[in-house]
Amino acid sequence: MADPVLFEFLHTEMVAELWAQDPDPGPGGQKTSLLVLEGMGFRVGQALGERLPRETLAFREELDILKFLCKDLWVAVFHKQMDSLRTNHQDNSFPLLVRMASGLQYLEEAPKFLAFTCGLLRGTLSTLGVKSLVTASVAALPACKFQVVIQKP
């Protein structure tokens, strides 16, 4: 993957551009912007999944899939492993939120910066043949939790 600083800059610009189109969007406008970011992340996740070695794609158990997300994928994208391996994947210093951690006033802005990553995880899992629902929550910056729910066929 690209240099972490360049990725962070690109991500920040994508978020800023989507919110600049309507500086004071109502709930519907925010939802649309979040869906666009999540969709962009989904497509990037699919592309990452397509580049994986074929032996990586043969996961047998849910735990193997979660290990792959927390170790291999997270390192490829963010150059660090996720801090916690559970069904709630916690990252105590999520790279895209670190710069916002200086004040509580930014807590309400955090969902904008998580939508792309939720899509990225879901897109990668989709390429692996795993249908999932990925959500994120933030209680204190820069920590966040990603909830991955694998949907059985």
Side-chain angles (χ1 to χ4, degrees):
M1 192 76 178
D3 183 311
V5 175
L6 293 176
F7 176 70
E8 183 180 342
F9 178 71
L10 174 64
H11 183 267
T12 302
E13 287 299 309
M14 289 186 313
V15 171
E17 180 63 28
L18 282 167
W19 263 260
Q21 293 174 8
D22 187 1
D24 188 26
Q30 290 177 357
K31 186 175 181 179
T32 300
S33 295
L34 289 173
L35 287 173
V36 169
L37 279 170
E38 199 269 346
M40 292 165 68
F42 183 83
R43 182 58 195 118
V44 170
Q46 284 180 316
L48 282 173
E50 291 167 358
R51 293 176 154 212
L52 297 172
R54 289 292 145 209
E55 58 273 3
T56 305
L57 303 177
F59 295 117
R60 301 213 190 290
E61 296 182 21
E62 192 172 309
L63 182 60
D64 295 330
I65 294 168
L66 298 178
K67 283 182 184 178
F68 165 76
L69 291 178
C70 292
K71 294 181 179 182
D72 301 325
L73 180 67
W74 218 250
V75 169
V77 176
F78 298 112
H79 299 274
K80 70 180 212 91
Q81 286 188 5
M82 192 175 278
D83 296 330
S84 177
L85 172 64
R86 289 183 222 138
T87 50
N88 285 340
H89 310 290
Q90 181 160 336
D91 195 328
N92 293 321
S93 61
F94 183 58
L96 300 176
L97 296 178
V98 169
R99 297 197 192 278
M100 298 172 56
S102 60
L104 289 176
Q105 71 269 25
Y106 299 115
L107 192 58
E108 68 185 38
E109 300 293 318
K112 298 185 217 185
F113 293 89
L114 300 174
F116 180 86
T117 306
C118 288
L120 182 89
L121 293 169
R122 198 171 63 81
T124 303
L125 288 170
S126 173
T127 302
L128 298 173
V130 178
K131 191 173 180 181
S132 64
L133 175 65
V134 180
T135 57
S137 62
V138 177
L141 292 170
C144 66
K145 284 186 181 181
F146 290 93
Q147 173 79 31
V148 177
V149 178
I150 297 175
Q151 299 171 341
K152 304 293 181 191

